[in-house]
Amino acid sequence: MSTTSGFTKWKEEHPDLWEFIKFNGLSQISTVVRFVLLWILAPLFVSGLGLTEPFHFAFYNYDTAAGGVGIFLATIITEVIAQTVNFFVQMKWVFVSDASFAQAAWKYVLLSLLIIIISGFAPSYISAWANSIGWGAASSTLSAVFNTIAATIVAYPLLKFWIAPKSK
């Protein structure tokens, strides 16, 4: 009689699919961190400290109505912390990597910058496209879906094969 549960057997038979499921599920830890920090930092910087001056740089366009420099700072600080949390979650719980911390960390920083750049410029193009076809009200949702899919497509293979590979 086997002592292995059906779920354990399934995980053993489908290790790559199980890893992908863990990658997506455990990524939500950083999502929760992101929401909580934004809920704290945005009002602190905008209402509490009055940091509402417009901020424009490259593809970032935070005018006063969008919260200005306060929202930009809250977003960047939050993203850095969320990505740091995600790095440890992915390295230790998803990929169970034995890669050197020093080697993996700088690679993950590059990945995080790539994700921040994609998520920073894509919404303006998606919004323009959505408005051109009459879907303007759905542009935020479309942007969030695009950014989630793009981050998964970019992050999963880079984490698996370049940042957090298993040597064993």
Side-chain angles (χ1 to χ4, degrees), residues 10 26 32 57 59 70-71 78 80 83 88 91 124 149 158 162-163:
W10 181 88
L26 291 173
V32 169
F57 177 75
F59 47 79
I71 293 297
T78 293
V80 167
Q83 289 299 329
F88 289 103
M91 287 288 290
S124 62
I149 291 170
L158 288 176
W162 184 55
I163 298 170

Side-chain angles (χ1 to χ4, degrees), residues 4 17 30 37 43 49 53 61-62 85 97 106 118 122 125 127 139 154 161:
T4 305
L17 180 56
S30 66
L37 286 174
L49 299 175
E53 301 83 22
N61 188 21
Y62 292 85
V85 168
S97 178
W106 73 264
I118 291 170
Y125 293 101
S127 180
S139 63
V154 170
F161 300 111

Side-chain angles (χ1 to χ4, degrees), residues 14-82:
H14 304 91
D16 291 330
L17 180 56
W18 175 238
E19 182 179 75
F20 187 70
I21 291 168
K22 286 192 308 183
F23 167 79
N24 283 291
L26 291 173
S27 291
Q28 301 318 306
I29 294 171
S30 66
T31 300
V32 169
V33 168
R34 187 176 290 110
F35 275 103
V36 170
L37 286 174
L38 274 175
W39 291 337
I40 294 168
L41 294 179
L44 173 67
F45 290 164
V46 174
S47 300
L49 299 175
L51 301 175
T52 58
E53 301 83 22
F55 178 81
H56 306 284
F57 177 75
F59 47 79
Y60 294 106
N61 188 21
Y62 292 85
D63 58 15
T64 302
V69 72
I71 293 297
F72 172 76
L73 289 173
T75 302
I76 294 301
I77 291 167
T78 293
E79 194 58 36
V80 167
I81 294 169

Side-chain angles (χ1 to χ4, degrees), residues 86-151:
N86 200 43
F87 171 75
F88 289 103
V89 166
Q90 300 300 337
M91 287 288 290
K92 300 303 175 191
W93 293 346
V94 174
F95 297 101
V96 192
S97 178
D98 56 359
S100 140
F101 175 81
Q103 286 299 310
W106 73 264
K107 293 175 184 178
Y108 192 82
V109 167
L110 290 178
L111 171 62
S112 295
L113 290 173
L114 179 61
I115 289 170
I116 290 168
I117 289 169
I118 291 170
S119 66
F121 85 85
S124 62
Y125 293 101
I126 291 169
S127 180
W129 172 77
N131 285 328
S132 75
I133 63 168
W135 289 9
S139 63
S140 293
T141 300
L142 293 171
S143 293
V145 169
F146 173 84
N147 284 340
T148 300
I149 291 170

